[in-house]
Amino acid sequence: RAGLCVLCGLPAAGKSTLARALRRQLPQRLGWACALFSYDELIPPEAFGPSAPEEEPEAGPEEASSLLPRWKRSRRELLQCLESFLLALLTGEPLCRPVAATQPAWERFLACCRRQGLLSADGRAGAGHRTPAGTPGLLYLILDDNFYYQSMRYEVYQLARRYSLSFCQLFLECPLECCLQRNGLRSQPLPEQTICLMAGKIEVPDPKKNAWEQNSLLLPRTPRWNCLISAFHSCVCSPSEQVVSLLATALANPVKQNEENAENKEADRATCATSAVHQADQSCRRIISQAMKDAKDKKVLPREMKSLAEELNKLKAEFLAALRQGNRWEAQVCLEDQEPAPAVCVSSSFQQEAAKVVNKYLSK
């Protein structure tokens, strides 16, 4: 049994302190094995600098990845290393380096696993997957990073779904001023501009909007501005009962693989709907263009041409609005008889109605 817990929030919000507390106390309090993967340690600082031609990744099945910024490539490599570890852990197979991961990234990942006793002498995963009593138990993987975009966290959720693991998120809310103050006390502080930019982009978990974020907990941090930073630091040293409860709830409700099919179907429906509206719009534009040409050839007066164009465009807007809302409009008979693509039926119905409008002007 394994679970993935994502820590997210601004730099210097207290994530690493909480991560270390979880790794120390979960085995003691609950008998859960716990591993910590800090992105700050596993992604080198130079990954955030400009790329050099000689530092491009080795050719692999995803050549397009070389077009990504170095930091994005590094995140992708780390996620692939993590998946390789989980696969070896769940199957008992030897741990293998992912094809798309560079050797340096893989070596950093292996070193992190060895430091935490997660690899056996023969290199197999799960040596640390034991309770203090020595019996097989649960392994929680804590991922410590900013994860300021939902898309970054969703990649981890997809990994949990792929292997039916538990998944949860801990979002540390900390005022920007406090983060800047704590960052200034670090031996290697980040540029303040970087933290400010991230504060403007960060996306807080939204369980009401995203079902996959239902196992999320927001941990507010509101120290007084005149308090010492150490006072703030101490308030995140011990995981609260809320945190433990969230981890237990996620563990009891692992992500189901069949949820992937439902999400994919929903995404496919949205894509198809957008595509159908676009196709219908293009087809209706061509019909209007031809109708206007025919009207001009038949000597319709200029002032009438303007009215004709306005009426045809209004008609087109009505058809497209009906298509967006799932209303099959006058194409209902067409759909029941032959079940062609919705865009084709809308275009056919629109052509008929447009012809009636044009004939009205021709008969004047």
Side-chain angles (χ1 to χ4, degrees):
R1 300 170 66 193
L4 296 172
C5 177
V6 169
L7 301 187
C8 44
L10 291 177
K15 300 183 298 299
S16 297
T17 302
L18 177 58
R20 289 190 294 268
L22 287 171
R23 184 169 181 267
R24 182 179 62 254
Q25 295 190 23
L26 289 183
Q28 297 174 358
R29 295 174 57 181
L30 301 171
W32 297 348
C34 188
L36 172 59
F37 294 96
S38 171
Y39 279 52
D40 285 344
E41 296 177 3
L42 293 169
I43 298 179
E46 57 267 23
F48 298 92
S51 298
E54 64 273 11
E55 295 175 343
E56 289 299 330
E58 301 172 7
E62 299 184 3
E63 288 80 2
S65 66
S66 63
L67 302 177
L68 294 173
R70 294 174 65 192
W71 66 271
K72 284 190 177 182
R73 294 204 306 264
S74 296
R75 293 183 67 90
R76 177 175 294 183
E77 288 176 346
L78 177 51
L79 201 62
Q80 290 168 341
C81 292
L82 184 61
E83 181 171 8
S84 179
F85 174 83
L86 287 171
L87 187 60
L89 177 70
L90 299 174
T91 64
E93 296 294 326
L95 184 61
C96 298
R97 169 190 163 192
V99 176
T102 61
Q103 187 64 33
W106 182 237
E107 290 296 336
R108 285 192 297 270
F109 183 81
L110 290 179
C112 178
C113 291
R114 292 191 187 101
R115 286 195 300 270
Q116 301 183 74
L118 298 175
L119 299 180
S120 62
D122 61 356
R124 291 182 179 270
H129 190 214
R130 300 275 173 175
T131 66
T135 57
L138 165 77
L139 174 62
Y140 244 118
L141 306 182
I142 310 296
L143 306 187
D144 175 15
D145 186 44
N146 301 307
F147 286 107
Y148 56 96
Y149 285 140
Q150 287 178 346
S151 58
M152 296 175 174
R153 306 192 295 266
Y154 186 67
E155 290 177 336
V156 181
Y157 169 80
Q158 288 177 309
L159 185 58
R161 182 179 61 190
R162 196 171 301 134
Y163 298 102
S164 297
L165 309 176
S166 65
F167 172 83
C168 61
Q169 300 179 134
L170 296 174
F171 185 91
L172 275 71
E173 289 185 308
C174 182
L176 176 59
E177 292 84 353
C178 185
C179 290
L180 293 174
Q181 188 176 5
R182 295 191 64 207
N183 175 68
L185 297 177
R186 289 177 164 179
S187 58
Q188 294 181 327
L190 291 175
E192 289 194 357
Q193 183 182 10
T194 299
I195 300 179
C196 292
L197 288 174
M198 194 177 296
K201 296 180 179 179
I202 197 164
E203 297 173 343
V204 180
D206 188 352
K208 293 183 179 180
K209 180 180 179 182
N210 303 313
W212 62 271
E213 293 192 293
Q214 59 181 333
N215 287 330
S216 301
L217 180 62
L218 273 62
L219 301 174
R221 300 290 177 236
T222 56
R224 298 178 183 272
W225 305 133
N226 58 349
C227 286
L228 295 176
I229 294 303
S230 58
F232 174 77
H233 183 275
S234 64
C235 72
V236 294
C237 285
S238 178
S240 66
E241 293 304 320
Q242 279 185 303
V243 173
V244 174
S245 176
L246 175 72
L247 295 172
T249 299
L251 180 62
N253 299 277
V255 184
K256 298 179 181 179
Q257 290 183 350
N258 59 7
E259 292 179 9
E260 181 175 9
N261 295 329
E263 290 184 9
N264 287 344
K265 288 180 180 179
E266 185 63 30
D268 289 343
R269 281 195 291 268
T271 301
C272 289
T274 302
S275 177
V277 172
H278 176 71
Q279 293 174 19
D281 180 57
Q282 296 299 312
S283 180
C284 290
R285 286 174 184 272
R286 288 192 293 270
I287 293 171
I288 291 176
S289 178
Q290 185 60 48
M292 295 299 294
K293 183 177 181 300
D294 293 343
K296 183 177 180 180
D297 292 343
K298 294 181 180 180
K299 309 301 182 183
V300 174
L301 297 175
R303 63 174 180 276
E304 298 292 340
M305 290 286 288
K306 180 179 179 181
S307 298
L308 174 60
E310 292 175 350
E311 193 166 345
L312 289 175
N313 280 303
K314 180 181 179 181
L315 183 65
K316 175 175 74 74
E318 293 173 352
F319 267 79
L320 295 181
L323 181 59
R324 289 190 186 95
Q325 297 169 6
N327 185 348
R328 294 186 174 182
W329 200 251
E330 284 86 351
Q332 184 69 38
V333 176
C334 176
L335 285 170
E336 290 175 351
D337 290 344
Q338 300 177 358
E339 285 294 335
V344 175
C345 291
V346 169
S347 299
S348 176
S349 295
F350 177 77
Q351 189 166 25
Q352 297 175 17
E353 293 301 314
K356 295 178 183 178
V357 174
V358 172
N359 288 334
K360 181 178 66 176
Y361 281 83
L362 294 178
S363 61
K364 288 185 179 180

CSV table of all heavy atoms in Angstrom, one decimal, residues 3 59 117 201 204 208 216 260 307 353:
chain,number,residue,atom,x,y,z
A,3,GLY,N,0.9,5.7,-0.8
A,3,GLY,CA,0.2,6.9,-1.0
A,3,GLY,C,1.1,8.1,-1.4
A,3,GLY,O,2.3,8.1,-1.1
A,59,ALA,N,18.8,11.7,-26.9
A,59,ALA,CA,17.6,11.4,-27.8
A,59,ALA,C,16.8,10.3,-27.2
A,59,ALA,O,17.4,9.3,-26.8
A,59,ALA,CB,18.2,11.1,-29.2
A,117,GLY,N,16.9,4.7,2.9
A,117,GLY,CA,16.7,3.2,3.1
A,117,GLY,C,15.6,2.6,2.3
A,117,GLY,O,15.0,1.6,2.6
A,201,LYS,N,0.6,34.0,-9.4
A,201,LYS,CA,0.2,32.8,-10.3
A,201,LYS,C,-0.3,31.6,-9.6
A,201,LYS,O,-1.0,30.8,-10.2
A,201,LYS,CB,1.4,32.4,-11.1
A,201,LYS,CG,2.0,33.4,-12.1
A,201,LYS,CD,3.2,32.9,-12.9
A,201,LYS,CE,3.7,33.9,-13.9
A,201,LYS,NZ,4.9,33.3,-14.6
A,204,VAL,N,-4.8,27.9,-5.8
A,204,VAL,CA,-5.1,27.2,-4.6
A,204,VAL,C,-6.0,26.0,-5.0
A,204,VAL,O,-6.8,26.1,-5.9
A,204,VAL,CB,-5.9,28.1,-3.6
A,204,VAL,CG1,-6.3,27.4,-2.4
A,204,VAL,CG2,-5.0,29.3,-3.3
A,208,LYS,N,-14.3,22.1,-5.0
A,208,LYS,CA,-15.6,22.2,-5.6
A,208,LYS,C,-15.6,22.2,-7.1
A,208,LYS,O,-16.5,21.7,-7.8
A,208,LYS,CB,-16.2,23.6,-5.1
A,208,LYS,CG,-16.5,23.6,-3.6
A,208,LYS,CD,-17.2,24.9,-3.2
A,208,LYS,CE,-17.5,24.9,-1.7
A,208,LYS,NZ,-18.1,26.2,-1.3
A,216,SER,N,-7.9,17.5,-0.1
A,216,SER,CA,-7.0,18.7,0.1
A,216,SER,C,-7.3,19.4,1.4
A,216,SER,O,-8.4,19.4,1.9
A,216,SER,CB,-7.2,19.7,-1.1
A,216,SER,OG,-7.0,19.1,-2.3
A,260,GLU,N,-10.4,7.2,-14.6
A,260,GLU,CA,-9.7,7.8,-15.8
A,260,GLU,C,-10.6,7.7,-17.0
A,260,GLU,O,-10.6,8.7,-17.8
A,260,GLU,CB,-8.4,7.0,-16.0
A,260,GLU,CG,-7.6,7.5,-17.2
A,260,GLU,CD,-6.3,6.7,-17.3
A,260,GLU,OE1,-6.1,5.7,-16.6
A,260,GLU,OE2,-5.5,7.2,-18.2
A,307,SER,N,-28.8,44.3,-45.3
A,307,SER,CA,-29.8,43.6,-44.4
A,307,SER,C,-29.8,42.1,-44.5
A,307,SER,O,-29.9,41.4,-43.5
A,307,SER,CB,-31.2,44.1,-44.8
A,307,SER,OG,-31.3,45.5,-44.6
A,353,GLU,N,-32.5,27.0,-44.2
A,353,GLU,CA,-33.1,28.2,-43.7
A,353,GLU,C,-32.5,29.5,-44.4
A,353,GLU,O,-33.2,30.5,-44.6
A,353,GLU,CB,-32.9,28.3,-42.2
A,353,GLU,CG,-33.6,27.3,-41.4
A,353,GLU,CD,-35.1,27.4,-41.5
A,353,GLU,OE1,-35.6,28.5,-41.5
A,353,GLU,OE2,-35.7,26.3,-41.8
